[in-house]
Amino acid sequence: MSVALSVRNLSVEFATQAGVARAVNDVSFDLMPGERLGIVGESGSGKTTTALSLLHLVRKPGRIVDGRILIDGINIAKASPEILRRMRAARIALVPQGAMNALNPVLTCGAQFDDLFAAHAVPGGRAQIGSLLESVGLTEDVADLFPHQLSGGMKQRVCIALAIALRPAVIVADEPTSALDVIVQKQVLQTLVRVQRNLGAAIILVGHDMGLMAQFAHRIGVMYAGRLVEIGSARAIFGDPRHPYTRMLIASLPSFGARGVFQGIPGLPPSLLAQAPGCPFTPRCPRAAARCAEEAPETTSFSDGREVRCHFADEARHVA
Amino acid sequence: MQWLGSDTQGRDVLASLLTATPQTLKIGLLAGLIGLGVGGLLGLLAGWFRGVVDAVIRTTCDVMMTIPAIAVLVLVGTSVRTMTVWMMALVVALLSWMVPARAVRAQVLSLRERSWIDMARLNGIGGIRIIFADLLPNLAPYLAANFVIAVSTAMLATVGLEALGLGPQNELTLGMMIYWAQYSGAILRGMWWWWVPPVLALVLIFLALLAISLGMDRIVNVRLRSDL
Amino acid sequence: MGAKFVATSLMKPGMSLELRGAGVTFGGGLVGGPRKEALRPIDLVIAADTPQILAVVGESGSGKTTLTRLLVALVRPSMGRVLWHGRDVWRLDAKEFREYRRSVQAIFQDPFGAYNPVYRVDRMLLLPAIQFGLAVSEEAARPLAERALADVGLRPAETLGRFPHQLSGGQRQRLMVARAMMLKPAVLVADEPVSMVDASLRATILESLWHMRHDTGMSLVYVTHDLATAYQIADRVLVMRNGEVVEHGEASQVIRDPTHSYTRALMAAVPPPDPTIDWGLEKQR
């Protein structure tokens, strides 16, 4: 089966006053058609930059310095602006974070669809807009409303409808529900799942909520300091996390099982400037050895599709 | 040697220019400061205390804004026996306080809702101290910007009045130079060296004010500072 | 009617912060705009000498933020009273009010707005230290500030001396928590203190807040939309919706076995971090 999206050795740097920061460092993964991949990480992990790179939306002072992003044989990282313009929304679409800012406040929702259709020379029309809105659980008359007349959840659904309007093969959703109340969040995610399945599209969900990822994603990739440190099926990741960071991250999650128990990860994520050689998690890692500070770990692949960037990935699972 | 030539009465244009420019600046600065001071204070009171105080100030402001300033200025100009620099400044200021008042009021209304005002209260700091220590430093960029606008507007208003002949008869300002030039038919006679210099001087003054405004913003707007 | 909720079974003499039939309504009248009941009248007692952690859970518009502002006297009650030691907070004299301010502190939800942009972030720590007599000067206050920063995992060298716009949202929020830890109030009202902080650090900060109850006898009102952390930290829980309390009780009781349909809906909407549990994502709406 051919992949929907293939990322190989992606690296993105930001030129800042204080130096060059490597926000994404040698990230590789594949996305299968119809798959739901979750990319989870904390602030500074590079997850959002990775997501934006997939549509080549990283702007100065950031730029893609290495790697390939392949969709249908076309390398997004090196594509011309014209090709990018045609591919965005038509082959790969974005559902952004903070829908309040993504919709044009002076256009009705219907007009924003018209914009999209016109830009891609597609007929569109009222009937199609109506059916798109219905597919995300909104009524057709939303097309005549302005964004400020809609609630947060409704706006996010309009963004989803815009993203699927041209039937893309890949949808990238960057924390689409983080600004929403938890009940609305579930409804929007249910909509997203339904839409994605009807379309047969693959979806990458970027976020920091592990609970969400556990429920939403088939596969989960964990990022830390710009690197993809672990990737595997959701069940495998939660059942048997093999990277120390993944283990500690899962252990730190509050659950309805334990009260008064707190397991944070001490220390802070490293600065992305002037990165030390070796594994970036070394200062905070309970398993760290001398080797970790000197030598950056390569990716260890397992037969079940799991990949881990740790010198000790082969060790049997032990309680962190 | 008269570097800029002379007018119809043989007076040195350059000398006139050097006398007139400070006078124009004086009027502009005075009017601007008074207008900003009065307007800023009223705006601050209206925005901070709200309620009745705000309603009164706002209504006064809105009503006065509908009065065409030129009409009032002309009226005052014609009814006063001798117009002086001070009087011009006052009249212009009295009709220009409204814009700074509204701008400052809007800013204060927005600023007072910020959480850092709440934090100041949580620290046990009283209202007056909050206004001076927390609010005013944040108002500074708006006051600075409005100062320049106030000064420019005042100068334009005075030049307009003077060109109509309603300016101070006994003191020479840039506007009066233009008036006298026009009165003596300098334009018809092609005596450009009489009215072009004052116009250029005014343009330069406005450009300088713009530069000052940008500079003040740099100092006062913390976000533009690139230290550390 | 208001929900009656008493933190202790007997009202003991000593410090207490109480809401008695207190409610807040915005607008109305000739010039106020549409009338909005932000908080229906509520009775609530926090007796600071029997410290406990109360979680107030609700979504946007639930009134939880209004409740926090009422408790720290940043908004006047439209009806009812806010009482400190049994005295109306809005009628205290200067000295008593200062003592109230010293004893009842808050952490705000908005890490961006809480800092005055023209001052360096040091002021967030140094000013209250001097105001409340913890130190006599900025130099004397500095070691206190540095210790508080360490407690929340911030490095003084990277934090002090900076302006707010130079720090991230998470850093600013942690600094506000540090301020509270430094002041050690009798009652701390924390409105989403860790929402902008990474999960790995969240636990550490919550742990510090939790320990403050044991170490300093502080009572904590923890306002959040996150049921999981509420369960982790709280003794009692208040669930709010549209300005009123819909359920209250022991944390384990309310969360494990909610009675009100809204609480149940909230619980059902929290995604469990376990892929083997069916959350109902694939069901049609």
Side-chain angles (χ1 to χ4, degrees), chain A residues 36 181 194 197 259 261, chain C residues 59-60 198 232 234 282 284:
Chain A
R36 294 199 292 269
D181 284 339
R194 191 179 68 237
R197 284 169 68 195
R259 289 193 58 228
V261 174
Chain C
E59 307 202 293
S60 43
D198 286 332
Q232 209 179 8
E282 314 243 348
Q284 297 300 308

Side-chain angles (χ1 to χ4, degrees), chain C residues 104-130:
Chain C
V104 179
Q105 279 294 329
I107 297 174
F108 291 127
Q109 182 178 5
D110 173 16
F112 299 97
Y115 292 79
N116 192 332
V118 305
Y119 291 108
R120 296 179 202 264
V121 299
D122 313 29
R123 190 174 183 257
M124 173 66 76
L125 293 167
L126 300 176
L127 179 56
I130 299 173

Side-chain angles (χ1 to χ4, degrees), chain C:
Chain C
M1 287 303 294
K4 192 141 185 69
F5 167 72
V6 180
T8 53
S9 51
L10 285 164
M11 278 264 279
K12 294 191 178 119
M15 290 183 169
S16 73
L17 179 63
E18 184 185 347
L19 297 179
R20 204 177 278 176
V24 177
T25 310
F26 293 120
L30 280 171
V31 288
R35 214 180 116 96
K36 185 181 177 237
E37 231 179 342
L39 184 68
R40 304 254 176 91
I42 182 173
D43 294 323
L44 175 64
V45 176
I46 299 163
D49 54 358
T50 39
Q52 56 138 342
I53 300 183
L54 167 69
V56 177
V57 173
E59 307 202 293
S60 43
S62 58
K64 61 189 200 303
T65 301
T66 310
L67 177 65
T68 64
R69 292 173 70 85
L70 207 54
L71 284 168
V72 293
L74 283 175
V75 68
R76 294 192 97 108
S78 315
M79 58 205 95
R81 297 193 296 167
V82 180
L83 303 170
W84 173 244
H85 296 5
R87 311 254 329 265
D88 190 325
V89 145
W90 294 92
R91 299 241 171 109
L92 295 174
D93 65 36
K95 182 161 168 286
E96 291 167 325
F97 191 68
R98 197 182 209 107
E99 193 234 339
Y100 161 74
R101 278 269 176 255
R102 170 76 188 84
S103 316
V104 179
Q105 279 294 329
I107 297 174
F108 291 127
Q109 182 178 5
D110 173 16
F112 299 97
Y115 292 79
N116 192 332
V118 305
Y119 291 108
R120 296 179 202 264
V121 299
D122 313 29
R123 190 174 183 257
M124 173 66 76
L125 293 167
L126 300 176
L127 179 56
I130 299 173
Q131 272 289 109
F132 293 122
L134 292 169
V136 293
S137 67
E138 283 201 3
E139 292 74 50
R142 213 161 271 277
L144 284 171
E146 284 173 7
R147 201 162 60 226
L149 286 174
D151 280 340
V152 295
L154 284 173
R155 298 188 198 116
E158 279 176 14
T159 327
L160 294 177
R162 303 234 164 153
F163 286 96
H165 66 271
Q166 292 169 312
L167 297 180
S168 71
Q171 283 174 308
R172 281 181 282 202
Q173 200 161 22
R174 277 183 279 162
L175 212 141
M176 269 211 285
V177 177
R179 175 185 174 278
M181 289 192 194
M182 184 186 70
L183 290 175
K184 299 192 190 355
V187 180
L188 177 63
V189 182
D191 190 353
E192 303 274 14
V194 290
S195 60
M196 299 225 39
V197 172
D198 286 332
S200 56
L201 193 44
R202 210 173 279 174
T204 314
I205 295 179
L206 286 175
E207 187 173 22
S208 305
L209 290 175
W210 198 67
H211 280 307
M212 276 177 84
R213 188 264 295 266
H214 293 292
D215 300 345
T216 66
M218 178 188 86
S219 277
L220 173 68
V221 178
Y222 175 62
V223 177
T224 184
H225 67 277
D226 181 358
L227 274 163
T229 53
Y231 179 74
Q232 209 179 8
I233 195 174
D235 302 316
R236 299 186 69 102
V237 170
L238 230 65
V239 180
M240 293 189 69
R241 183 196 195 197
N242 286 338
E244 60 183 336
V245 177
V246 298
E247 187 157 1
H248 62 87
E250 292 263 342
S252 35
Q253 180 75 27
V254 170
I255 287 177
R256 245 84 191 268
D257 191 21
T259 48
H260 196 279
S261 60
Y262 178 69
T263 318
R264 277 199 280 248
L266 270 184
M267 285 297 299
V270 174
D274 181 351
T276 59
I277 298 177
D278 180 17
W279 189 45
L281 197 55
E282 314 243 348
K283 285 202 196 80
Q284 297 300 308
R285 185 170 37 91

